[in-house]
Amino acid sequence: MVELLASYNERNFLKVVELLASYNEQVSALILGNTPQNDKYTSHQIQTEILHVFVRNIQSSICHKINDAKSCLIIDKARDESKKEQMTLVIRFVDISGFIQK
């Protein structure tokens, strides 16, 4: 879904991009207010690509932290009031210092 002012999650994607830009000067120089008027990089395809990059980075970070540590995976599923299935996934592991991380 393209980020529109009238969308249900109005500006959520744009707020995430702004947050990322506040931590990274290269991103800040290339997005939103610094782009030509017709080139905002907020189309559905661009949003999907950016989210895939986030996912790959998070997965890589988790795999790097867990490495060969003792770990467990906890999955819980429940149905909310609107009859939609909601699933929670928790990964717990013991880090190098011997502390439990989740």
Side-chain angles (χ1 to χ4, degrees):
M1 172 171 44
V2 176
E3 181 76 44
L4 300 172
L5 292 178
S7 68
Y8 177 71
N9 294 321
E10 183 178 329
R11 297 193 44 82
N12 283 352
F13 178 78
L14 296 178
K15 289 296 182 187
V16 169
V17 172
E18 289 171 3
L19 177 66
L20 178 61
S22 72
Y23 286 98
N24 188 315
E25 291 178 18
Q26 291 175 323
V27 173
S28 181
L30 296 173
I31 62 161
L32 302 176
N34 299 324
T35 60
Q37 196 63 13
N38 63 344
D39 202 11
K40 296 293 183 194
Y41 301 108
T42 57
S43 71
H44 175 70
Q45 181 181 358
I46 297 297
Q47 288 182 23
T48 302
E49 287 179 28
I50 290 171
L51 293 175
H52 281 266
V53 169
F54 288 165
V55 167
R56 283 193 302 272
N57 286 341
I58 291 169
Q59 287 173 336
S60 175
S61 175
I62 290 170
C63 289
H64 178 73
K65 286 181 181 179
I66 292 177
N67 201 8
D68 293 328
K70 302 249 186 231
S71 61
C72 71
L73 180 65
I74 303 167
I75 300 174
D76 187 24
K77 186 170 72 168
R79 191 175 302 223
D80 65 11
E81 290 180 9
S82 65
K83 308 289 187 227
K84 290 185 180 177
E85 296 271 335
Q86 303 289 323
M87 182 169 40
T88 303
L89 173 73
V90 177
I91 301 171
R92 295 182 66 173
F93 64 96
V94 179
D95 67 12
I96 295 171
S97 304
F99 294 104
I100 295 174
Q101 303 292 327
K102 30 180 170 171

XYZ file of all heavy atoms in Angstrom:
822
model
N 0.844 -1.168 0.000
C 0.000 0.000 0.000
C 0.897 1.240 0.000
O 1.832 1.352 0.776
C -0.890 -0.011 1.244
C -1.654 1.265 1.414
S -2.925 1.240 2.706
C -2.139 0.449 4.043
N 0.599 2.158 -0.857
C 1.344 3.403 -0.933
C 0.947 4.295 0.235
O -0.214 4.333 0.636
C 1.059 4.119 -2.279
C 1.742 5.449 -2.339
C 1.484 3.238 -3.432
N 1.911 4.977 0.789
C 1.651 5.875 1.922
C 0.849 7.072 1.421
O 1.335 7.870 0.628
C 2.963 6.342 2.524
C 2.811 7.241 3.698
C 2.424 6.490 4.955
O 2.995 5.433 5.223
O 1.530 6.968 5.662
N -0.382 7.184 1.851
C -1.241 8.299 1.477
C -1.663 9.038 2.733
O -1.751 8.462 3.810
C -2.500 7.797 0.753
C -2.280 7.008 -0.536
C -3.595 6.430 -1.004
C -1.669 7.887 -1.604
N -1.960 10.321 2.594
C -2.396 11.098 3.741
C -3.703 10.574 4.315
O -3.962 10.682 5.495
C -2.530 12.568 3.370
C -1.208 13.273 3.069
C -1.470 14.718 2.665
C -0.280 13.237 4.273
N -4.544 9.979 3.457
C -5.834 9.481 3.913
C -5.778 8.012 4.324
O -6.793 7.420 4.627
C -6.873 9.658 2.811
N -4.611 7.409 4.340
C -4.504 5.988 4.652
C -4.768 5.727 6.130
O -4.638 6.612 6.971
C -3.136 5.443 4.245
O -2.121 5.978 5.053
N -5.120 4.478 6.449
C -5.449 4.086 7.820
C -4.255 4.310 8.751
O -4.402 4.788 9.862
C -5.886 2.622 7.835
C -6.187 2.105 9.211
C -7.323 2.531 9.893
C -5.330 1.210 9.835
C -7.604 2.073 11.161
C -5.605 0.747 11.106
C -6.743 1.177 11.764
O -7.003 0.715 13.024
N -3.088 3.943 8.306
C -1.869 4.118 9.088
C -1.116 5.358 8.610
O 0.064 5.308 8.291
C -0.966 2.888 8.973
C -1.575 1.680 9.605
O -2.196 1.781 10.648
N -1.419 0.537 8.977
N -1.819 6.444 8.575
C -1.292 7.684 8.016
C 0.110 8.001 8.524
O 0.348 8.093 9.709
C -2.242 8.836 8.372
C -1.832 10.159 7.790
C -2.843 11.239 8.149
O -4.027 10.926 8.292
O -2.429 12.390 8.277
N 1.029 8.106 7.599
C 2.403 8.548 7.806
C 3.272 7.578 8.607
O 4.386 7.911 8.965
C 2.442 9.939 8.429
C 1.830 11.001 7.520
C 2.110 12.410 7.951
N 3.449 12.732 8.361
C 4.473 13.024 7.555
N 4.299 13.015 6.265
N 5.649 13.332 8.046
N 2.811 6.371 8.911
C 3.651 5.433 9.662
C 4.947 5.137 8.913
O 6.029 5.182 9.500
C 2.914 4.128 9.948
C 1.926 4.252 11.075
O 1.877 5.266 11.769
N 1.131 3.222 11.261
N 4.828 4.802 7.629
C 6.028 4.499 6.855
C 6.947 5.717 6.786
O 8.155 5.609 6.975
C 5.664 4.030 5.444
C 6.878 3.751 4.599
C 7.594 2.577 4.767
C 7.321 4.670 3.661
C 8.722 2.325 4.016
C 8.451 4.427 2.908
C 9.147 3.247 3.081
N 6.358 6.882 6.527
C 7.173 8.098 6.432
C 7.865 8.408 7.754
O 9.013 8.861 7.772
C 6.307 9.280 5.992
C 5.696 9.164 4.595
C 4.825 10.371 4.291
C 6.770 8.994 3.544
N 7.207 8.153 8.865
C 7.824 8.373 10.180
C 8.999 7.420 10.398
O 10.020 7.808 10.961
C 6.795 8.221 11.307
C 5.801 9.355 11.350
C 6.504 10.652 11.672
C 5.519 11.795 11.775
N 6.171 13.087 11.913
N 8.868 6.174 9.941
C 9.974 5.217 10.057
C 11.155 5.695 9.211
O 12.311 5.652 9.656
C 9.530 3.801 9.637
C 10.719 2.865 9.502
C 8.534 3.244 10.628
N 10.887 6.171 8.021
C 11.956 6.672 7.148
C 12.620 7.898 7.779
O 13.847 8.033 7.762
C 11.416 6.997 5.739
C 12.455 7.703 4.894
C 10.958 5.717 5.053
N 11.829 8.784 8.350
C 12.388 9.962 9.019
C 13.263 9.558 10.209
O 14.325 10.135 10.438
C 11.281 10.898 9.491
C 10.582 11.626 8.347
C 9.347 12.388 8.800
O 9.043 12.404 10.012
O 8.673 12.964 7.922
N 12.823 8.553 10.954
C 13.619 8.062 12.085
C 14.951 7.494 11.591
O 16.013 7.800 12.146
C 12.845 6.996 12.857
C 13.584 6.350 14.024
C 13.853 7.384 15.124
C 12.784 5.188 14.572
N 14.891 6.692 10.543
C 16.115 6.137 9.959
C 17.037 7.260 9.497
O 18.250 7.216 9.729
C 15.769 5.217 8.786
C 16.933 4.591 8.041
C 17.755 3.706 8.968
C 16.436 3.801 6.847
N 16.478 8.281 8.877
C 17.277 9.409 8.398
C 17.937 10.165 9.541
O 19.042 10.690 9.390
C 16.408 10.352 7.576
N 17.299 10.190 10.700
C 17.881 10.904 11.837
C 19.127 10.194 12.366
O 19.956 10.798 13.032
C 16.853 11.076 12.956
O 16.593 9.847 13.602
N 19.273 8.910 12.058
C 20.433 8.142 12.499
C 21.492 7.963 11.417
O 22.573 7.478 11.696
C 20.002 6.748 12.981
C 19.310 6.764 14.314
C 17.926 6.747 14.397
C 20.034 6.806 15.492
C 17.285 6.764 15.621
C 19.411 6.828 16.728
C 18.041 6.806 16.778
O 17.408 6.830 17.988
N 21.162 8.317 10.168
C 22.072 8.050 9.064
C 22.112 9.249 8.116
O 21.121 9.541 7.452
C 21.611 6.783 8.330
C 22.592 6.310 7.304
O 23.126 7.092 6.527
N 22.817 5.014 7.279
N 23.246 9.912 8.047
C 23.366 11.118 7.214
C 23.181 10.821 5.733
O 22.622 11.637 5.001
C 24.726 11.767 7.443
C 24.878 12.386 8.816
C 26.261 12.984 9.034
O 26.979 13.218 8.044
O 26.601 13.213 10.205
N 23.650 9.665 5.268
C 23.509 9.320 3.852
C 22.036 9.159 3.477
O 21.602 9.634 2.422
C 24.262 8.036 3.524
C 25.770 8.193 3.601
C 26.486 6.873 3.391
O 26.014 5.833 3.840
N 27.607 6.934 2.713
N 21.269 8.519 4.337
C 19.831 8.362 4.086
C 19.162 9.722 4.132
O 18.348 10.066 3.282
C 19.186 7.402 5.112
C 17.674 7.378 4.964
C 19.758 5.999 4.966
N 19.526 10.516 5.111
C 18.939 11.845 5.266
C 19.146 12.703 4.019
O 18.267 13.463 3.619
C 19.532 12.532 6.484
O 18.963 13.796 6.659
N 20.311 12.582 3.405
C 20.630 13.385 2.227
C 19.848 12.954 0.989
O 19.746 13.713 0.033
C 22.122 13.301 1.945
N 19.271 11.745 1.013
C 18.645 11.201 -0.194
C 17.132 11.044 -0.146
O 16.542 10.601 -1.110
C 19.252 9.826 -0.504
C 20.729 9.816 -0.837
C 21.222 8.384 -0.942
C 20.999 10.572 -2.115
N 16.490 11.375 0.963
C 15.056 11.077 1.062
C 14.206 12.296 1.345
O 14.692 13.345 1.729
C 14.776 10.030 2.158
C 15.196 10.576 3.521
C 15.449 8.720 1.867
C 14.573 9.856 4.667
N 12.928 12.092 1.188
C 11.859 13.019 1.536
C 12.107 14.449 1.066
O 12.079 14.714 -0.107
C 11.558 12.947 3.030
C 11.161 11.539 3.518
C 10.979 11.527 5.017
C 9.941 11.041 2.812
N 12.364 15.391 1.951
C 12.472 16.796 1.587
C 13.638 17.127 0.677
O 13.661 18.181 0.058
N 14.610 16.229 0.576
C 15.797 16.493 -0.235
C 15.699 15.912 -1.640
O 16.675 15.909 -2.370
C 17.038 15.912 0.465
C 17.252 16.546 1.810
O 17.003 17.727 1.993
N 17.691 15.762 2.763
N 14.540 15.423 -2.021
C 14.369 14.829 -3.346
C 13.565 15.776 -4.233
O 12.859 16.648 -3.736
C 13.606 13.496 -3.243
O 12.329 13.733 -2.658
C 14.378 12.478 -2.424
N 13.659 15.582 -5.557
C 12.803 16.382 -6.439
C 11.330 16.123 -6.124
O 10.989 15.085 -5.552
C 13.146 15.857 -7.835
C 14.473 15.203 -7.691
C 14.555 14.702 -6.273
N 10.473 17.034 -6.460
C 9.049 16.965 -6.110
C 8.384 15.664 -6.546
O 7.548 15.129 -5.846
C 8.308 18.158 -6.732
C 6.950 18.413 -6.156
C 6.981 18.776 -4.665
O 8.008 19.075 -4.094
N 5.831 18.716 -4.029
N 8.754 15.123 -7.708
C 8.094 13.928 -8.231
C 8.833 12.637 -7.855
O 8.532 11.583 -8.363
C 7.965 14.017 -9.745
C 9.316 14.055 -10.423
O 10.337 14.308 -9.784
N 9.338 13.807 -11.723
N 9.809 12.698 -6.978
C 10.653 11.540 -6.696
C 10.848 11.382 -5.189
O 11.926 11.601 -4.664
C 11.997 11.740 -7.402
C 12.716 10.437 -7.630
O 12.089 9.382 -7.434
O 13.890 10.470 -8.004
N 9.805 10.959 -4.479
C 9.845 10.885 -3.012
C 10.247 9.510 -2.482
O 10.453 9.336 -1.296
C 8.477 11.259 -2.426
C 8.083 12.680 -2.710
C 8.981 13.637 -1.993
C 8.539 15.068 -2.226
N 9.521 16.028 -1.848
N 10.316 8.494 -3.346
C 10.670 7.132 -2.940
C 9.705 6.573 -1.898
O 10.107 5.947 -0.930
C 12.110 7.063 -2.433
C 13.107 7.495 -3.472
C 13.764 8.702 -3.352
C 13.352 6.696 -4.576
C 14.661 9.111 -4.318
C 14.250 7.098 -5.552
C 14.900 8.304 -5.415
O 15.779 8.709 -6.375
N 8.425 6.801 -2.088
C 7.427 6.278 -1.156
C 6.416 5.368 -1.847
O 5.390 5.047 -1.268
C 6.680 7.428 -0.449
O 6.078 8.261 -1.434
C 7.596 8.222 0.444
N 6.709 4.914 -3.052
C 5.788 4.022 -3.757
C 5.741 2.669 -3.052
O 6.599 2.336 -2.235
C 6.241 3.819 -5.203
O 7.422 3.029 -5.223
N 4.740 1.883 -3.376
C 4.579 0.557 -2.773
C 5.841 -0.281 -2.980
O 6.318 -0.936 -2.045
C 3.366 -0.148 -3.365
C 3.203 -1.552 -2.902
N 2.842 -1.860 -1.613
C 3.391 -2.727 -3.544
C 2.797 -3.178 -1.492
N 3.124 -3.715 -2.633
N 6.372 -0.268 -4.187
C 7.564 -1.076 -4.489
C 8.766 -0.639 -3.643
O 9.464 -1.469 -3.078
C 7.915 -0.972 -5.975
C 9.125 -1.801 -6.356
C 9.479 -1.664 -7.818
O 8.801 -0.981 -8.574
N 10.549 -2.312 -8.221
N 8.986 0.653 -3.526
C 10.107 1.164 -2.730
C 9.902 0.839 -1.255
O 10.829 0.418 -0.560
C 10.276 2.687 -2.929
C 10.630 3.006 -4.382
C 11.309 3.250 -1.969
C 11.954 2.442 -4.845
N 8.673 1.006 -0.759
C 8.384 0.672 0.636
C 8.690 -0.797 0.904
O 9.323 -1.143 1.906
C 6.925 0.953 0.971
C 6.594 2.421 1.069
C 5.140 2.658 1.456
O 4.498 1.801 2.044
N 4.628 3.825 1.122
N 8.270 -1.665 -0.009
C 8.514 -3.094 0.144
C 10.010 -3.392 0.141
O 10.498 -4.162 0.974
C 7.812 -3.874 -0.984
O 6.413 -3.587 -0.930
C 8.035 -5.368 -0.854
N 10.760 -2.778 -0.758
C 12.203 -2.998 -0.817
C 12.889 -2.532 0.468
O 13.766 -3.225 0.999
C 12.807 -2.273 -2.020
C 12.472 -2.923 -3.342
C 13.062 -2.167 -4.522
O 14.110 -1.505 -4.356
O 12.474 -2.244 -5.613
N 12.505 -1.373 0.971
C 13.100 -0.846 2.210
C 12.789 -1.781 3.372
O 13.668 -2.104 4.180
C 12.605 0.585 2.495
C 13.220 1.544 1.470
C 12.960 1.023 3.913
C 12.645 2.947 1.513
N 11.558 -2.258 3.465
C 11.192 -3.175 4.540
C 11.948 -4.497 4.433
O 12.352 -5.067 5.444
C 9.685 -3.403 4.560
C 8.860 -2.167 4.935
C 7.371 -2.448 4.805
C 9.191 -1.690 6.332
N 12.196 -4.962 3.215
C 12.984 -6.184 3.034
C 14.427 -5.979 3.494
O 15.026 -6.884 4.085
C 12.935 -6.660 1.583
C 11.680 -7.385 1.238
N 11.549 -8.746 1.303
C 10.474 -6.919 0.849
C 10.324 -9.100 0.960
N 9.651 -7.996 0.682
N 14.979 -4.808 3.258
C 16.333 -4.500 3.743
C 16.342 -4.518 5.267
O 17.258 -5.083 5.885
C 16.821 -3.135 3.202
C 18.087 -2.686 3.909
C 17.055 -3.214 1.699
N 15.333 -3.908 5.898
C 15.222 -3.933 7.361
C 15.186 -5.376 7.867
O 15.880 -5.732 8.810
C 13.969 -3.206 7.844
C 13.999 -1.716 7.720
C 12.831 -0.992 7.833
C 15.176 -1.020 7.495
C 12.831 0.389 7.733
C 15.192 0.358 7.395
C 14.016 1.061 7.523
N 14.343 -6.200 7.237
C 14.193 -7.592 7.660
C 15.519 -8.334 7.550
O 15.925 -9.037 8.482
C 13.090 -8.302 6.837
C 13.124 -9.812 7.034
C 11.723 -7.756 7.197
N 16.218 -8.183 6.423
C 17.509 -8.865 6.254
C 18.517 -8.415 7.303
O 19.259 -9.237 7.851
C 18.057 -8.640 4.843
C 17.375 -9.511 3.793
C 18.122 -9.506 2.478
N 18.280 -8.184 1.902
C 17.403 -7.597 1.104
N 16.288 -8.203 0.783
N 17.633 -6.388 0.619
N 18.553 -7.123 7.607
C 19.480 -6.620 8.626
C 19.141 -7.155 10.012
O 20.032 -7.523 10.778
C 19.497 -5.091 8.643
C 20.243 -4.510 7.470
O 21.040 -5.180 6.836
N 19.976 -3.257 7.157
N 17.864 -7.196 10.342
C 17.445 -7.716 11.644
C 17.758 -9.209 11.741
O 18.299 -9.677 12.745
C 15.945 -7.438 11.885
C 15.727 -5.937 12.079
C 15.427 -8.233 13.086
C 14.274 -5.515 12.054
N 17.451 -9.966 10.687
C 17.743 -11.395 10.690
C 19.246 -11.646 10.836
O 19.663 -12.512 11.613
C 17.244 -12.057 9.398
C 15.752 -12.206 9.335
C 15.274 -12.704 7.979
O 15.948 -12.540 6.957
N 14.101 -13.300 7.964
N 20.037 -10.884 10.129
C 21.493 -11.029 10.205
C 21.995 -10.716 11.608
O 22.848 -11.434 12.154
C 22.155 -10.101 9.185
O 23.545 -10.135 9.315
N 21.460 -9.661 12.204
C 21.856 -9.277 13.559
C 21.495 -10.365 14.564
O 22.302 -10.721 15.433
C 21.179 -7.960 13.934
O 21.455 -7.621 15.261
N 20.288 -10.919 14.453
C 19.852 -11.986 15.362
C 20.739 -13.213 15.189
O 21.218 -13.786 16.175
C 18.364 -12.335 15.134
C 17.477 -11.196 15.611
C 17.996 -13.641 15.845
C 16.018 -11.342 15.219
N 20.983 -13.623 13.948
C 21.824 -14.803 13.699
C 23.235 -14.588 14.226
O 23.833 -15.506 14.793
C 21.856 -15.124 12.209
S 20.294 -15.770 11.586
N 23.779 -13.385 14.067
C 25.118 -13.086 14.561
C 25.169 -13.161 16.089
O 26.118 -13.698 16.661
C 25.561 -11.698 14.089
C 26.899 -11.298 14.589
N 28.057 -11.858 14.103
C 27.269 -10.414 15.536
C 29.099 -11.329 14.737
N 28.633 -10.441 15.621
N 24.136 -12.652 16.759
C 24.102 -12.670 18.221
C 23.910 -14.086 18.762
O 24.519 -14.471 19.754
C 22.987 -11.768 18.751
C 23.301 -10.304 18.638
C 22.169 -9.478 19.202
C 22.484 -7.993 19.058
N 21.395 -7.171 19.576
N 23.040 -14.863 18.129
C 22.760 -16.218 18.618
C 23.936 -17.142 18.325
O 24.350 -17.908 19.180
C 21.462 -16.767 18.005
C 20.266 -15.988 18.536
C 21.309 -18.250 18.322
C 18.952 -16.396 17.942
N 24.451 -17.088 17.104
C 25.586 -17.906 16.673
C 25.386 -19.348 17.129
O 24.451 -19.996 16.719
C 26.883 -17.296 17.184
C 28.084 -17.760 16.391
O 27.933 -18.422 15.375
N 29.255 -17.418 16.846
N 26.254 -19.860 18.003
C 26.160 -21.245 18.477
C 25.619 -21.319 19.902
O 25.779 -22.340 20.580
C 27.537 -21.915 18.418
C 28.017 -22.107 16.986
O 27.158 -22.315 16.107
O 29.233 -22.038 16.748
N 24.997 -20.258 20.377
C 24.521 -20.210 21.758
C 23.340 -21.157 21.962
O 22.637 -21.507 21.022
C 24.100 -18.786 22.117
N 23.130 -21.537 23.204
C 21.931 -22.299 23.562
C 20.744 -21.358 23.385
O 20.769 -20.216 23.832
C 22.010 -22.755 25.007
C 23.207 -23.604 25.308
C 22.769 -25.000 25.589
C 23.984 -25.803 26.041
N 24.146 -27.000 25.322
N 19.712 -21.823 22.713
C 18.580 -20.944 22.429
C 17.277 -21.728 22.440
O 17.269 -22.950 22.380
C 18.758 -20.269 21.068
O 18.810 -21.236 20.040
N 16.176 -20.981 22.518
C 14.859 -21.596 22.398
C 13.939 -20.630 21.660
O 14.160 -19.426 21.642
C 14.283 -21.969 23.751
S 13.774 -20.584 24.758
N 12.942 -21.202 21.059
C 11.972 -20.442 20.285
C 10.605 -20.667 20.916
O 10.192 -21.804 21.130
C 11.978 -20.939 18.836
C 11.048 -20.303 17.844
C 11.414 -18.849 17.639
C 11.115 -21.039 16.523
N 9.904 -19.573 21.254
C 8.581 -19.661 21.867
C 7.589 -19.009 20.905
O 7.767 -17.854 20.508
C 8.553 -18.928 23.220
C 9.617 -19.491 24.152
C 7.163 -19.008 23.843
C 9.877 -18.632 25.365
N 6.566 -19.763 20.538
C 5.543 -19.251 19.621
C 4.181 -19.396 20.296
O 3.858 -20.461 20.818
C 5.547 -20.012 18.281
C 6.902 -19.879 17.604
C 4.436 -19.496 17.381
C 7.051 -20.704 16.353
N 3.407 -18.314 20.280
C 2.074 -18.339 20.853
C 1.107 -17.743 19.850
O 1.416 -16.732 19.205
C 2.035 -17.550 22.166
C 0.704 -17.696 22.878
O 0.001 -18.700 22.637
O 0.369 -16.803 23.675
N -0.031 -18.364 19.699
C -1.019 -17.881 18.738
C -2.354 -17.728 19.447
O -2.732 -18.558 20.265
C -1.125 -18.874 17.581
C -2.006 -18.422 16.456
C -1.887 -19.312 15.254
C -2.534 -20.641 15.501
N -2.707 -21.456 14.300
N -3.056 -16.649 19.158
C -4.370 -16.406 19.758
C -5.244 -15.677 18.744
O -4.751 -15.061 17.801
C -4.222 -15.566 21.019
N -6.533 -15.734 18.985
C -7.493 -15.059 18.124
C -8.005 -13.837 18.871
O -8.416 -13.936 20.027
C -8.639 -15.996 17.798
C -9.545 -15.497 16.711
C -10.559 -16.553 16.395
N -9.867 -17.779 16.007
C -10.230 -18.535 14.984
N -11.283 -18.244 14.291
N -9.561 -19.614 14.685
N -7.979 -12.659 18.228
C -8.456 -11.446 18.900
C -9.968 -11.307 18.737
O -10.625 -12.177 18.181
C -7.694 -10.207 18.421
C -7.943 -9.884 16.946
O -8.851 -10.473 16.336
O -7.220 -9.028 16.412
N -10.517 -10.204 19.246
C -11.967 -9.994 19.223
C -12.551 -9.982 17.816
O -13.697 -10.364 17.610
C -12.315 -8.688 19.927
C -12.104 -8.731 21.412
C -12.456 -7.420 22.082
O -13.022 -6.529 21.423
O -12.166 -7.294 23.284
N -11.761 -9.536 16.853
C -12.266 -9.471 15.477
C -12.056 -10.786 14.734
O -12.177 -10.849 13.523
C -11.596 -8.328 14.723
O -10.210 -8.591 14.597
N -11.699 -11.839 15.454
C -11.495 -13.191 14.917
C -10.251 -13.306 14.042
O -10.116 -14.225 13.266
C -12.722 -13.666 14.117
C -14.037 -13.563 14.846
C -14.114 -14.585 15.941
C -15.521 -14.567 16.534
N -15.569 -14.548 17.936
N -9.327 -12.356 14.174
C -8.070 -12.430 13.428
C -7.040 -13.168 14.271
O -6.945 -12.960 15.469
C -7.549 -11.032 13.091
C -8.381 -10.323 12.070
C -7.751 -9.018 11.688
C -8.603 -8.305 10.654
N -8.054 -7.004 10.309
N -6.288 -14.030 13.616
C -5.229 -14.769 14.302
C -4.038 -13.840 14.519
O -3.614 -13.127 13.606
C -4.781 -15.961 13.457
C -5.851 -17.001 13.254
C -5.852 -18.059 14.338
O -4.792 -18.278 14.951
O -6.910 -18.655 14.567
N -3.511 -13.838 15.732
C -2.322 -13.063 16.076
C -1.260 -14.044 16.576
O -1.572 -14.915 17.378
C -2.635 -12.040 17.169
C -3.753 -11.082 16.838
C -3.349 -10.085 15.777
O -2.212 -9.637 15.747
N -4.280 -9.744 14.906
N -0.030 -13.897 16.092
C 1.019 -14.796 16.517
C 2.186 -13.999 17.085
O 2.565 -12.967 16.538
C 1.521 -15.650 15.352
C 2.572 -16.633 15.790
S 3.041 -17.904 14.601
C 3.080 -17.089 13.063
N 2.734 -14.491 18.197
C 3.901 -13.883 18.816
C 5.043 -14.877 18.743
O 4.863 -16.064 18.989
C 3.612 -13.547 20.294
O 2.487 -12.688 20.356
C 4.808 -12.885 20.947
N 6.217 -14.371 18.400
C 7.408 -15.197 18.281
C 8.479 -14.602 19.178
O 8.788 -13.418 19.069
C 7.878 -15.206 16.824
C 9.184 -15.878 16.507
C 9.030 -17.387 16.599
C 9.635 -15.483 15.122
N 9.022 -15.399 20.093
C 10.073 -14.937 21.005
C 11.260 -15.878 20.867
O 11.107 -17.093 20.929
C 9.591 -14.924 22.476
C 10.716 -14.513 23.407
C 8.390 -14.017 22.632
N 12.429 -15.307 20.670
C 13.665 -16.086 20.639
C 14.451 -15.717 21.884
O 14.724 -14.542 22.126
C 14.495 -15.773 19.379
C 13.691 -16.072 18.119
C 15.800 -16.545 19.404
C 14.335 -15.602 16.851
N 14.797 -16.715 22.680
C 15.609 -16.493 23.882
C 16.913 -17.256 23.708
O 16.922 -18.378 23.210
C 14.888 -16.988 25.126
C 13.625 -16.192 25.416
C 12.953 -16.658 26.646
N 13.832 -16.361 27.793
C 13.487 -16.525 29.041
N 12.308 -16.988 29.349
N 14.318 -16.244 30.020
N 18.009 -16.624 24.151
C 19.300 -17.290 24.066
C 20.222 -16.754 25.142
O 19.980 -15.698 25.718
C 19.928 -17.102 22.681
C 20.267 -15.681 22.339
C 21.552 -15.193 22.531
C 19.308 -14.823 21.833
C 21.872 -13.877 22.227
C 19.618 -13.514 21.520
C 20.903 -13.037 21.718
N 21.264 -17.515 25.428
C 22.261 -17.114 26.412
C 23.418 -16.476 25.647
O 24.021 -17.102 24.775
C 22.756 -18.327 27.233
C 23.819 -17.904 28.233
C 21.589 -18.997 27.932
N 23.717 -15.194 25.967
C 24.793 -14.503 25.246
C 26.173 -14.935 25.763
O 26.289 -15.766 26.669
C 24.623 -12.980 25.298
C 24.794 -12.393 26.684
O 25.260 -13.099 27.598
O 24.461 -11.204 26.851
N 27.209 -14.366 25.189
C 28.584 -14.726 25.521
C 28.885 -14.503 27.003
O 29.646 -15.251 27.616
C 29.574 -13.906 24.653
C 29.405 -14.310 23.194
C 31.005 -14.111 25.089
C 30.151 -13.439 22.219
N 28.256 -13.493 27.599
C 28.481 -13.184 29.015
C 27.655 -14.059 29.958
O 27.772 -13.931 31.178
C 28.145 -11.716 29.286
O 28.888 -10.871 28.451
N 26.798 -14.924 29.410
C 25.981 -15.802 30.229
C 24.634 -15.238 30.619
O 23.934 -15.802 31.454
N 24.241 -14.115 30.015
C 22.951 -13.499 30.307
C 21.901 -13.963 29.305
O 22.189 -14.120 28.111
C 23.048 -11.976 30.278
C 23.907 -11.415 31.373
C 25.189 -10.956 31.099
C 23.440 -11.339 32.675
C 25.984 -10.451 32.104
C 24.220 -10.832 33.682
C 25.510 -10.372 33.404
N 20.655 -14.138 29.786
C 19.565 -14.518 28.899
C 19.108 -13.280 28.137
O 18.840 -12.236 28.713
C 18.401 -15.136 29.698
C 18.843 -16.441 30.349
C 17.192 -15.355 28.803
C 17.821 -17.060 31.263
N 19.010 -13.415 26.839
C 18.566 -12.330 25.952
C 17.300 -12.777 25.246
O 17.092 -13.947 24.980
C 19.648 -12.013 24.912
C 20.974 -11.633 25.477
C 20.941 -10.294 26.181
O 20.208 -9.380 25.790
N 21.723 -10.166 27.238
N 16.406 -11.814 24.946
C 15.223 -12.125 24.147
C 14.995 -11.053 23.126
O 15.484 -10.002 23.172
C 13.963 -12.352 24.944
C 13.817 -11.633 26.231
C 12.519 -11.973 26.877
C 12.510 -11.429 28.280
N 11.277 -11.495 28.929
